[in-house]
Amino acid sequence: MTPTLDAPRFVTTRPLLRAQGVTKSYGGVQALRDVSATVYPGEVLGIVGESGSGKSTFLRCLNLEETPDSGSYTLDLPDVQGNLFELDRYARRMLCATRIGIVYQNPHLGLLMSHSSSGNVAERLLVAGERRFAVLRDKAGAALDASEFPLDRMDAPPSELSGGMQQRVQLAKAIALEPALLLLDEPTTGLDVSVQALVLDTLKRLQRDRRITMVIVSHDLGVIRTLADRVMVMRRGEVVEAGLADQVFQDPQHAYAQQLVHAKL
Amino acid sequence: MTPILDVRGLSKGFTMHHLGTAVSAFDEISFTLRAGEFLLLRGRNGAGKSTLLRTLYRSYLAAEGEINFHSTHGTIDLARAADVDIAYLRRTEIGFVTQFLTARPRVSAEALVAEPLRLSGVAAEEALERARQWLSAFGVKRDLWPAYPTTFSGGEQQKVNLARALILPQRLLLLDEPTASLDAGARRALITRLAELKAGGTAMIGVFHHPGDVATLIDREIDLTPDMGPQEEREDVAV
């Protein structure tokens, strides 16, 4: 029985994100095979799988950093139309700067380490056209505050901050423009347990209070279990199982999904 | 009374890929549940009582059969419904009460209890106020309300869990041994709350180690023990 085949009957809202048939190869290596995902407004989709399963590649496709060999990707937003994989470089950059936020596992990918933390967040606002210094500072401060970053450190560069603090600056930068979609690539990996808990709590609060739609990739099943409404299990570039988070964790159907869940719990 | 749930020919099994085997949990279960009815699931350990509850909630996928839930929006087969519809119904019409609290690090007891109300659109202050009332009703000490339940005893965690699970009235409530590890006061508070919900029309299906705890609420029971023969409704069985 495959319940996800049935179309929604009660939830009439259209999906925010719809990716279909995304396929990508590097040289002779198939990184993604016909990957499809649908995410509704306010939902959190978790993607799990072993290293090399293609989960981060898929996330980079959703952030328009990668162009797949085939497939389509749409966001149901008033001013965004068509297959986003077909957008030119400038349009991609503007869309990612204004409507999609991303938090990388490695803060060096998302932050300018020598700029101030508030400057990193303000940079996102500058791309969107804001030029007034006082507004930039206020909005950067508000985003940092929402990410539970201590405002007395907002002028410190990320290079002087701990890993947990750097993730908060990335998060502040990602949510500064109230993105329609927040992408998170292993946001707590490498952080110690207490800092992990703080980051997870912040994400959960953002999810609850702002209903931000999120796609989160992690090999840490505890993180996915805490945050995700639905889960997609990937292996060797393919989706082998998808369902409600509690169903995938309690009653996995695919042999690999069973192996993954039983190995980690 | 209005039917809430029509279960027809429901079967569940587990395939254990690493062993190359499949195990049946229950076969061909059928029953109907109406508004305000309380159905007790009986059976020895391993008979599939909790598995049936989880299958109805869609934490487990059914192998065969239908779970027709008569929602306020119309009838839907929970065994085949889209994930988003299930998630929506869990927020609005179907509740599941277990004996285990899923506490989250650095989230206070009162915030955890208030969360279902917040998600359903109740303002933060009002949600917190109602959460405190329920924590009080279940006998959680006032000092603990702003504390993190990860550090609480099993019994205190269970009280927080019940307050959270029962704060929002549902049309269908699935109860998986909710009285386990509760003291007498909390057990009384639970029974009182369940009676209120039942009188308000909530249909309930429950598994209880000590069914005597809820004897006054039970309308019917089903025994899932395999040697009880074909699974059928047994109405008006005294507990």
Side-chain angles (χ1 to χ4, degrees):
Chain A
M1 189 172 284
T2 313
T4 44
L5 283 179
D6 279 10
R9 292 185 43 207
F10 296 163
V11 176
T12 50
T13 319
R14 286 179 303 196
L16 170 72
L17 181 162
R18 200 190 287 267
Q20 285 179 311
V22 179
T23 297
K24 172 82 182 168
S25 60
Y26 299 99
V29 180
Q30 192 90 39
L32 297 175
R33 295 167 200 260
D34 196 22
V35 174
S36 297
T38 302
V39 188
Y40 284 79
E43 252 194 334
V44 178
L45 174 69
I47 306 179
V48 295
E50 62 198 359
S51 300
S53 60
K55 52 191 193 303
S56 290
T57 303
F58 183 60
L59 201 75
R60 286 200 301 276
C61 287
L62 297 181
N63 197 41
L64 299 174
E65 292 170 54
E66 300 271 3
T67 303
D69 305 330
S70 60
S72 68
Y73 171 27
T74 58
L75 287 179
D76 185 34
L77 296 171
D79 50 349
V80 178
Q81 270 123 34
N83 182 357
L84 304 184
F85 292 139
E86 292 171 0
L87 293 178
D88 64 31
R89 205 169 156 185
Y90 176 75
R92 283 181 180 214
R93 183 162 180 263
M94 286 311 293
L95 183 66
C96 291
T98 56
R99 315 308 295 272
I100 302 173
I102 188 161
V103 174
Y104 296 98
Q105 176 184 351
N106 181 353
H108 284 84
L109 290 175
L111 299 175
L112 296 163
M113 287 293 161
S114 57
H115 287 43
S116 68
S117 296
S118 56
N120 267 281
V121 180
E123 183 252 335
R124 177 56 67 104
L125 302 163
L126 280 164
V127 174
E130 182 56 64
R131 293 289 181 272
R132 295 163 296 176
F133 179 78
V135 175
L136 284 170
R137 194 162 170 83
D138 280 356
K139 286 192 172 176
L144 285 163
D145 193 38
S147 303
E148 298 183 18
F149 181 91
L151 293 184
D152 58 349
R153 302 295 312 277
M154 69 189 281
D155 293 323
S159 57
E160 292 178 9
L161 302 172
S162 66
M165 289 287 206
Q166 289 175 350
Q167 289 305 63
R168 279 158 194 281
V169 179
Q170 277 208 85
L171 191 56
K173 184 177 174 182
I175 64 168
L177 287 174
E178 303 263 341
L181 177 64
L182 181 59
L183 306 172
L184 302 126
D185 190 5
E186 304 276 8
T188 60
T189 302
L191 303 178
D192 70 55
V193 175
S194 63
V195 180
Q196 267 189 24
L198 281 169
V199 173
L200 285 181
D201 186 28
T202 304
L203 290 171
K204 195 80 192 169
R205 200 171 40 71
L206 287 172
Q207 178 195 358
R208 187 190 63 209
D209 296 345
R210 300 193 181 197
R211 302 294 293 154
I212 296 180
T213 308
M214 302 184 198
V215 178
I216 177 167
V217 159
S218 181
H219 68 265
D220 184 334
L221 298 191
V223 168
I224 297 295
R225 205 168 192 156
T226 302
L227 293 174
D229 300 305
R230 286 190 300 123
V231 171
M232 209 161 92
V233 182
M234 291 186 68
R235 190 190 195 201
R236 295 177 186 161
E238 288 181 300
V239 178
V240 297
E241 181 151 351
L244 291 161
D246 59 322
Q247 180 263 300
V248 172
F249 284 116
Q250 293 181 40
D251 189 22
Q253 306 294 299
H254 189 275
Y256 173 68
Q258 284 190 2
Q259 191 186 326
L260 190 74
V261 168
H262 295 151
K264 296 279 184 180
L265 294 179
Chain B
M1 280 185 291
T2 324
I4 295 284
L5 198 65
D6 269 316
V7 175
R8 292 287 161 253
L10 189 65
S11 301
K12 172 63 187 165
F14 296 95
T15 302
M16 292 179 283
H17 290 283
H18 66 295
L19 298 175
T21 57
V23 176
S24 170
F26 52 77
D27 280 313
E28 292 285 320
I29 288 181
S30 299
F31 63 88
T32 299
L33 188 70
R34 293 176 184 81
E37 273 191 315
F38 190 111
L39 175 65
L40 176 73
L41 300 182
R42 274 186 178 279
R44 64 184 180 214
N45 289 346
K49 306 183 293 294
S50 293
T51 300
L52 174 55
L53 290 182
R54 288 175 193 178
T55 307
L56 297 175
Y57 196 61
R58 249 283 281 286
S59 295
Y60 289 169
L61 293 180
E64 298 290 339
E66 295 175 9
I67 307 165
N68 291 308
F69 176 64
H70 302 292
S71 153
T72 51
H73 304 282
T75 300
I76 189 166
D77 180 1
L78 301 179
R80 299 197 57 81
D83 291 337
V84 283
D85 279 335
I86 294 288
Y88 171 75
L89 289 170
R90 286 178 179 182
R91 283 198 303 274
T92 54
E93 299 193 33
I94 304 175
F96 192 102
V97 187
T98 69
Q99 56 183 306
F100 305 108
L101 174 72
T102 310
R104 284 203 311 276
R106 296 176 196 275
V107 179
S108 68
E110 58 191 16
L112 208 57
V113 174
E115 199 168 65
L117 291 175
R118 294 281 288 118
L119 288 172
S120 73
V122 176
E125 265 315 303
E126 188 190 340
L128 266 184
E129 190 49 45
R130 280 164 63 184
R132 288 168 188 147
Q133 286 168 10
W134 281 106
L135 286 167
S136 174
F138 280 108
V140 179
K141 293 183 208 111
R142 183 180 287 267
D143 295 351
L144 295 179
W145 298 352
Y148 303 138
T150 38
T151 58
F152 293 4
S153 71
E156 295 296 319
Q157 285 198 0
Q158 172 63 344
K159 292 174 189 174
V160 174
N161 187 35
L162 290 175
R164 177 184 161 90
L166 298 174
I167 196 165
L168 204 61
Q170 310 277 11
R171 297 186 78 228
L172 173 64
L173 200 52
L174 307 169
L175 303 150
D176 193 1
E177 301 198 21
T179 52
S181 70
L182 282 185
D183 55 39
R187 223 165 29 237
R188 275 195 303 276
L190 171 66
I191 307 308
T192 304
R193 177 60 173 157
L194 292 181
E196 278 172 14
L197 292 170
K198 187 175 188 291
T202 298
M204 301 182 202
I205 305 178
V207 175
F208 290 81
H209 256 332
H210 302 290
D213 289 342
V214 285
T216 54
L217 304 177
I218 297 168
D219 296 304
R220 289 184 296 135
E221 67 177 65
I222 292 178
D223 196 320
L224 295 179
T225 307
D227 57 11
M228 293 298 289
Q231 304 302 331
E232 292 173 353
E233 290 181 54
R234 294 173 179 79
E235 301 210 14
D236 302 314
V237 177
V239 178

